[in-house]
Structures are given as C-alpha cells and as structure tokens.
Amino acid sequence: KFGRVFIFDSNLLHAARPVSRICNVLRSVVVFKTIDPKINDPRVQFILDKTKGISHSGKTFFEHLFNTMTNLELDKKNSNDLCVAGLYHSIYGTEFYKFNDPTITRDQIKELIGDYAENLVWLFCKTEDRINAFIDNTIGVDEKIRQDLIRLELANLYDQRSNQNTIYRLEKELII
C-alpha cells in the first residue's frame, strides 16, 4: 500500500516476486542492506577470518556460528559468555563437523572469549553423543554448565532446522 515501509530480518525465509499487474502505477522500491554492528568486534573478525569460505549446513560456517550466537542473544536471560560461546561453538570441530585449524589454540580462544565461554565451547566440541550426554549429564558438570550446554545445543539445532523430537527432548531439560 502507498506510503508503507516494511522492515524485516533478512535471515527470515523470503523471496522476491514480480510486480503485480493489479497495480498500474509506477512503484519505487528502496532497499537498504545493513550489517550487524557486531561484525566489527575482534572476536567476530577472528572467527570470520578463520572460517572464510568454509561451508556448513547449506550456508557458510561463519553464518552458522553467527546465527547460533544470534539465537542465544534473543533470550535476554542468556549470559554474554553463553552468547559468545555460540559464536565459537564448533571452533575445535565436533563429532559431526570436522573443522580443524591447527593454528587455533585453547589459550588463544580463552584470551578472546574468556575462560567460562571457552570451557563451554571445549565441552561442546569434545563431548561424544552430545545430546544424550547433556541430558543425562554423563560428563559430570554442575547444573549451570549443563543448562548452558543445552541452550547452546538448542541454538545450534535451531539454526540447522533440526529434528523436532531432539529439540523437544532438550527443551524439556531447561530450567526456565
């Protein structure tokens, strides 16, 4: 309709369609493409540089990592440490995604994101049968870490549009 503005998150599924014949007047469209200001954060730049050109789940590895962080940021109760862990959640590779950059060290990641966030990332990457391990706590972590690992896994699965049964099993474990 005339004089309207539509703003949306471009990560949402959308498609361009041809102009309708119903409208017989000139239509002007202005598109402003913006970028998240977090892109200038050194932690984001580091991960972007290390993952440039690598694919993952039908997108780039960086997009998946960034989307996982963004999913965590949507819940304002999540700590900054947990959100940053989302950005790095697969930096050491996992049983499912074999990313390996031998130039990346744990000390380097701790320096960038802090000890707590790096520990979450390490546990996320190195735990086998991760979903069951987090649900049953076979890794023997305290409840705060377990809850953060479950939230991290959920943000990861949401971005990959994963199996709803798996998501439901994890969501049942959350303490709200």
Side-chain angles (χ1 to χ4, degrees):
K1 293 186 178 184
F2 181 77
R4 301 283 173 100
V5 174
F6 182 62
I7 300 172
F8 68 99
D9 180 347
S10 65
N11 289 323
L12 299 172
L13 190 59
H14 66 283
R17 299 282 187 245
V19 176
S20 168
R21 297 226 181 248
I22 295 170
C23 178
N24 59 3
V25 296
L26 179 63
R27 181 175 85 160
S28 298
V29 177
V30 178
V31 176
F32 295 97
K33 292 188 176 186
T34 61
I35 192 161
D36 194 311
K38 289 186 295 280
I39 202 73
N40 294 319
D41 184 313
R43 297 170 298 187
V44 175
Q45 280 300 308
F46 177 87
I47 204 78
L48 177 60
D49 292 342
K50 292 294 184 179
T51 62
K52 197 170 282 177
I54 299 170
S55 64
H56 182 290
S57 304
K59 57 186 83 116
T60 68
F61 189 28
F62 173 77
E63 287 171 319
H64 171 63
L65 296 170
F66 195 84
N67 290 347
T68 301
M69 175 184 67
T70 302
N71 287 340
L72 288 161
E73 289 173 336
L74 292 174
D75 185 343
K76 299 302 179 198
K77 292 179 284 187
N78 288 335
S79 69
N80 186 55
D81 284 336
L82 176 55
C83 295
V84 172
L87 181 63
Y88 281 74
H89 76 274
S90 295
I91 195 66
Y92 303 124
T94 70
E95 68 180 314
F96 304 111
Y97 189 73
K98 303 297 182 196
F99 178 75
N100 182 24
D101 182 335
T103 67
I104 297 172
T105 66
R106 286 192 73 184
D107 287 338
Q108 189 177 32
I109 302 305
K110 284 178 186 177
E111 183 72 29
L112 280 165
I113 66 174
D115 289 345
Y116 183 79
E118 191 279 337
N119 187 51
L120 290 175
V121 169
W122 180 257
L123 289 167
F124 187 90
C125 289
K126 297 307 174 187
T127 300
E128 293 187 15
D129 191 21
R130 198 169 63 219
I131 291 166
N132 290 320
F134 296 166
I135 290 172
D136 300 332
N137 198 13
T138 57
I139 55 176
V141 295
D142 70 38
E143 189 59 21
K144 178 184 181 342
I145 293 173
R146 178 178 168 270
Q147 288 289 307
D148 280 348
L149 288 168
I150 289 170
R151 290 176 192 281
L152 182 55
E153 183 67 76
L154 281 166
N156 171 54
L157 294 174
Y158 292 152
D159 182 59
Q160 296 181 61
R161 298 181 184 358
S162 288
N163 180 297
Q164 283 303 116
N165 291 331
T166 302
I167 289 172
Y168 176 71
R169 284 182 59 221
L170 285 162
E171 287 175 337
K172 283 189 346 185
E173 295 295 316
L174 288 178
I175 298 171
I176 307 218

